[in-house]
């Protein structure tokens, strides 16, 4: 359902529990701002956390975050997430996989990433290892980031399916369901 529909505007959220924490009454209809699909009712705290926290923290620390973002029919059908999550997933991938060399061996320590820039179709990351005083840069193209997003979504959906909690695309006429 679209956020701007008359039904959404007239349906109060306080009759629903927050879809993220399932503990607090919802206060807002969370939606994807660029195309307007409603994800579901959220409490003020979860809505603020989703919108204002660094994207990687939301994805990594908030249980059910990926599935909540995929409640957006457009994201689920296209197997994508809002743009701010693309750089976050590229960063998380580099933290997990990128290491510098010490005497032809890979350092075991996770690098520190800073100064992420989107420049000419690629995210440019500055990495450092404070332990060995090493600094280097790494780029992840927008296409590579999109592939990481798709892999992340596919894994989240596979995990949800094994727990029988797969979100299904909703018709525009469907009513939002209580949590």
């Amino acid at each position: 359902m679209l956020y701007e529909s008359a039904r959404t505007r007239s349906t109060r959220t306080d009759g629903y529990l927050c879809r993220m924490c399932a503990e607090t009454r919802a206060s807002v209809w969370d939606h994807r701002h660029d195309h307007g699909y409603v994800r579901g009712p959220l409490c003020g705290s979860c809505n603020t956390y989703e919108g204002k926290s660094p994207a990687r923290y939301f994805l990594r620390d908030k249980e059910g975050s990926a599935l909540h973002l995929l409640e957006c029919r457009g994201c689920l059908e296209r197997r994508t997430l809002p743009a701010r999550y693309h750089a976050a997933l590229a960063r998380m991938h580099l933290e997990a996989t990128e290491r510098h060399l010490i005497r032809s061996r890979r350092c075991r320590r996770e690098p520190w990433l800073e100064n992420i820039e989107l420049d000419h179709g690629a995210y440019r990351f500055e990495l450092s290892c404070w332990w060995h005083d090493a600094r280097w840069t790494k780029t992840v193209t927008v296409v590579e980031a999109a592939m990481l997003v798709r892999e992340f979504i596919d894994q989240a959906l596979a995990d949800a399916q094994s727990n029988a909690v797969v979100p299904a695309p909703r018709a525009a006429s469907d009513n939002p369901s209580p949590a």
Side-chain angles (χ1 to χ4, degrees), residues 163-178:
N163 295 328
V165 187
V166 178
R170 288 184 260 182
S173 63
D174 288 350
N175 287 325
S177 58

Side-chain angles (χ1 to χ4, degrees), residues 27-87:
S27 59
V28 298
W29 288 110
D30 184 40
H31 62 286
R32 174 100 186 255
H33 289 264
D34 58 344
H35 56 63
Y37 284 114
V38 171
R39 293 184 197 124
L42 291 184
C43 67
S45 177
C46 288
N47 187 53
T48 299
Y49 192 66
E50 187 275 323
K52 305 263 185 205
S53 69
R56 70 183 190 278
Y57 294 149
F58 180 73
L59 292 174
R60 187 178 57 205
D61 300 340
K62 195 75 164 167
E63 188 175 336
S65 60
L67 293 179
H68 172 71
L69 294 172
L70 292 173
E71 288 290 333
C72 165
R73 185 176 82 189
C75 290
L76 181 61
E77 288 172 354
R78 292 179 192 93
R79 293 285 202 272
T80 191
L81 295 175
R84 77 187 203 102
Y85 294 100
H86 291 225

